[in-house]
Amino acid sequence: MPDGIMIGNFEIKFYGIIIMIGALMAAWLSSREAKKRGIDPEMIWDMLPWLLVAAIIGARLWHIFTPSASLVALGIDTKYYLTHPLDAINIRNGGLGISGAVMGGALALWIYTRVKKTSFATWVDIIAPGLALAQAIGRWGNFLNQELYGRPTNLPWAIYIRPENRLPEYANVAYYHPMFLYESIWNLMNMALLLYLGKKFKYKLYRGDIFLIYLIVYPLGRFLLEFIRLDPSNIGGINANQTLMAVILILSAAAILIKHTLLKERFVPVSEEIRTPLPEPK
């Protein structure tokens, strides 16, 4: 199976195409959410290039500083990337960490909202469902790259991994858990949940709550899936991704609990801040 589309001597990787599709679908959904809140949806398309660039930089940096065990075994560790800058910026064959992407995108959004003098908490709520959608779509890039698969299995939905993409210790094993698919489905469920809660409980939710719920649901799924992952990113013998997910989940759950108990007098429901939704174009 080809890895991309050739245009002359230049190859456009399917991996990159899928990431762009995910970003555009996320922007489309976010623009609809903005309109529902009476906010100009064109702001989404204005901020998209900045968020996308920052997310890719953050995703690559996360990969560089948390390389997988198999890459480290091949001598491709953080030190290697820092001494081989061209390899460090080469993302054509993958090597992006979603944790870094979210951090990079959030930082760019925070700067954007400061410049535009608008609410960061409101915008992360607007973007959260679209972010989950982008993740669900983006995971199919892992499928095309034959990466992010789980432990060997003989379940009916097991996926075949080509010999050149198998870990050395599993060279003779052909079928594995489709971890990318599990996470894609989990992200779609997360998107649906965020949209439902935003509509059903708009009279009870405060600004930032939708994003905090995203930061509970996604890390929970990722934490559990790391148990079947074959090639974790270890730092000092600790699974970096799984540990980070656990920390984010706990802190986000604590934050939303404190907001709705000890600090509830400081907040007003989102419904009281939402302006009249913008009319549909004729």
Side-chain angles (χ1 to χ4, degrees):
M1 179 179 176
D3 294 327
I5 301 171
M6 295 299 300
I7 301 179
N9 295 324
F10 183 75
E11 183 182 21
I12 301 177
K13 296 283 188 177
F14 289 134
Y15 181 82
I17 294 173
I18 289 176
I19 288 177
M20 286 306 303
I21 291 173
L24 292 174
M25 290 299 295
W28 169 79
L29 180 59
S30 299
S31 67
R32 289 177 59 88
E33 289 299 296
K35 182 180 289 188
K36 289 178 182 178
R37 294 170 179 250
I39 299 173
D40 182 7
E42 290 301 316
M43 292 183 69
I44 287 290
W45 302 102
D46 180 49
M47 69 176 69
L48 178 61
W50 305 102
L51 301 190
L52 190 57
V53 170
I56 292 174
I57 293 173
R60 189 59 177 178
L61 288 174
W62 185 260
H63 171 78
I64 289 172
F65 288 102
T66 62
S68 64
S70 63
L71 287 177
V72 173
L74 295 173
I76 305 176
D77 55 8
T78 301
K79 182 179 179 180
Y80 171 85
Y81 280 123
L82 295 179
T83 54
H84 295 76
L86 293 180
D87 288 337
I89 63 175
N90 181 17
I91 63 172
R92 288 171 56 77
N93 293 315
L96 300 174
I98 186 60
S99 301
V102 174
M103 286 186 247
L107 176 59
L109 179 62
W110 180 79
I111 295 173
Y112 181 90
T113 56
R114 295 279 292 181
V115 171
K116 296 293 184 178
K117 295 180 172 52
T118 185
S119 169
F120 174 75
T122 295
W123 278 108
V124 289
D125 279 352
I126 290 171
I127 291 173
L131 174 58
L133 175 60
Q135 288 177 261
I137 295 171
R139 281 307 178 198
W140 286 87
N142 299 126
F143 168 67
L144 294 179
N145 279 355
Q146 293 263 286
E147 59 188 4
L148 197 65
Y149 52 87
R151 296 183 181 279
T153 182
N154 57 4
L155 290 170
W157 54 84
I159 57 169
Y160 174 78
I161 299 297
R162 295 187 296 266
E164 63 269 24
N165 297 111
R166 300 172 193 166
L167 296 174
E169 59 268 37
Y170 294 94
N172 297 321
V173 181
Y175 292 92
Y176 300 80
H177 278 285
M179 188 170 163
F180 82 93
L181 178 60
Y182 299 158
E183 188 169 331
S184 181
I185 293 172
W186 183 262
N187 284 320
L188 285 175
M189 293 170 59
N190 192 10
M191 176 199 71
L193 176 65
L194 296 176
L195 292 173
Y196 171 77
L197 293 177
K199 181 178 181 180
K200 185 72 174 180
F201 297 100
K202 63 182 179 181
Y203 297 104
K204 296 182 179 180
L205 295 175
Y206 304 144
R207 285 192 297 179
D209 281 356
I210 292 294
F211 186 59
L212 285 174
I213 294 169
Y214 163 86
L215 291 178
I216 294 171
V217 178
Y218 173 69
L220 174 61
R222 182 64 183 271
F223 177 85
L224 295 174
L225 286 174
E226 284 292 324
F227 285 112
I228 65 169
R229 187 169 184 168
L230 286 178
D231 197 19
S233 300
N234 292 322
I235 298 179
I238 298 175
N239 186 319
N241 286 310
Q242 190 174 47
T243 302
L244 177 67
M245 292 300 108
V247 171
I248 291 175
L249 190 161
I250 292 170
L251 291 179
S252 299
I256 202 167
L257 179 64
I258 291 172
K259 282 177 66 177
H260 286 263
T261 54
L262 301 179
L263 302 179
K264 64 180 181 180
E265 300 300 329
R266 299 186 182 183
F267 298 93
V268 296
V270 171
S271 60
E272 296 183 22
E273 299 179 335
I274 294 177
R275 299 191 293 273
T276 303
L278 296 178
E280 294 292 333
K282 296 181 179 179

